Amino acid sequence: GENVEQHPSTLSVQEGDSAVIKCTYSDSASNYFPWYKQELGKGPQLIIDIRSNVGEKKDQRIAVTLNKTAKHFSLHITETQPEDSAVYFCAASKRGGTGFQKLVFGTGTRLLVSP
Amino acid sequence: SAVISQKPSRDICQRGTSLTIQCQVDSQVTMMFWYRQQPGQSLTLIATANQGSEATYESGFVIDKFPISRPNLTFSTLTVSNMSPEDSSIYLCSVSGQPNTEAFFGQGTRLTVV
């Protein structure tokens, strides 16, 4: 089955710096890669996702890149702010047809943005 | 995105008892799922809640321990049965409108078993 590895487990940056979180997946058939942000005491919130037919997607300060050949994808946050501090999870799944394909999550990255 | 309400938000329970967690969505959704998130860990899928039929459980999870109901397209319950301290976790409901669309999460139920 699919296995998703995520690095680093913790990341500390200064406000205004960029942050990059990387994930690798094992199943070459995976074609959907979402990123979730989880703040303390809350459920995961979808912040951005990418499908395998594109290599990059951007939404304001957040971007995700995908390298299908190497089977890795990354989350990039620019101009970080203290409110970006949270745990970030990557995930992978195979989407297609009518069948459900479960999300497999990475181990999470705790991002701390210091003022 | 759908608005997902989970109840209770947290509870402290005695070992050997059972707790039922409710998940209510503000719109009809195709897929509903239950996840477990152990302290400081990632999310693990427990089962897919199927409307009108038995849930589909992932490896390591069984119906006797985690019975699930889904009577309609907007509501599901997860029961954690015969609890032990090892069941202390956050339990999360997730929904998706279609198999190929995004999955959204409720705020979770933080369970502590003493």
Side-chain angles (χ1 to χ4, degrees):
Chain A
E2 176 66 277
N3 181 55
V4 178
E5 295 187 355
Q6 184 172 344
H7 300 280
S9 57
T10 58
L11 179 59
S12 295
V13 299
Q14 292 291 317
E15 182 176 2
D17 288 350
S18 295
V20 180
I21 303 170
K22 299 181 179 180
C23 289
T24 60
Y25 60 98
S26 61
D27 189 343
S28 57
S30 289
N31 58 9
Y32 175 66
F33 308 93
W35 285 88
Y36 289 86
K37 174 184 180 183
Q38 187 175 28
E39 297 176 318
L40 192 63
K42 297 184 179 180
Q45 175 192 4
L46 178 68
I47 56 172
I48 196 168
D49 57 11
I50 191 168
R51 300 181 189 271
S52 60
N53 58 346
V54 298
E56 183 174 0
K57 183 176 179 181
K58 189 174 182 180
D59 182 3
Q60 299 183 353
R61 298 187 296 109
I62 295 173
V64 57
T65 58
L66 171 65
N67 183 326
K68 288 188 295 183
T69 303
K71 289 189 285 188
H72 68 69
F73 56 112
S74 300
L75 177 70
H76 305 254
I77 305 174
T78 59
E79 301 174 19
T80 54
Q81 302 167 2
E83 50 265 38
D84 294 328
S85 297
V87 179
Y88 291 80
F89 291 98
C90 63
S93 81
K94 293 177 285 190
R95 295 290 170 103
T98 58
F100 162 66
Q101 300 291 343
K102 69 177 182 180
L103 284 173
V104 177
F105 284 85
T107 49
T109 296
R110 184 174 301 276
L111 174 64
L112 176 62
V113 181
S114 302
Chain B
S1 63
V3 176
I4 306 165
S5 299
Q6 264 187 253
K7 292 181 181 179
S9 58
R10 59 177 61 231
D11 207 341
I12 301 174
C13 300
Q14 295 291 321
R15 67 176 68 199
T17 62
S18 298
L19 176 71
T20 296
I21 302 167
Q22 298 180 359
C23 178
Q24 178 74 55
V25 192
D26 68 342
S27 59
Q28 293 185 347
V29 292
T30 305
M31 316 289 291
M32 294 184 78
F33 316 99
W34 288 97
Y35 285 81
R36 182 174 73 182
Q37 186 176 27
Q38 295 179 304
Q41 302 297 313
S42 187
L43 289 79
T44 301
L45 181 64
I46 297 172
T48 303
N50 301 309
Q51 193 232 341
S53 64
E54 192 171 285
T56 304
Y57 290 84
E58 296 297 308
S59 176
F61 298 96
V62 296
I63 188 171
D64 290 346
K65 177 66 176 178
F66 298 102
I68 288 170
S69 77
R70 189 177 173 192
N72 56 51
L73 293 175
T74 63
F75 185 78
S76 178
T77 66
L78 167 74
T79 298
V80 186
S81 303
N82 188 25
M83 289 183 286
S84 67
E86 292 70 36
D87 295 320
S88 297
S89 289
I90 299 172
Y91 292 86
L92 294 150
C93 171
S94 176
V95 306
S96 177
Q98 294 292 335
N100 294 322
T101 60
E102 300 86 348
F104 300 98
F105 285 83
Q107 78 276 19
T109 296
R110 183 178 296 272
L111 171 62
T112 302
V113 183
V114 296

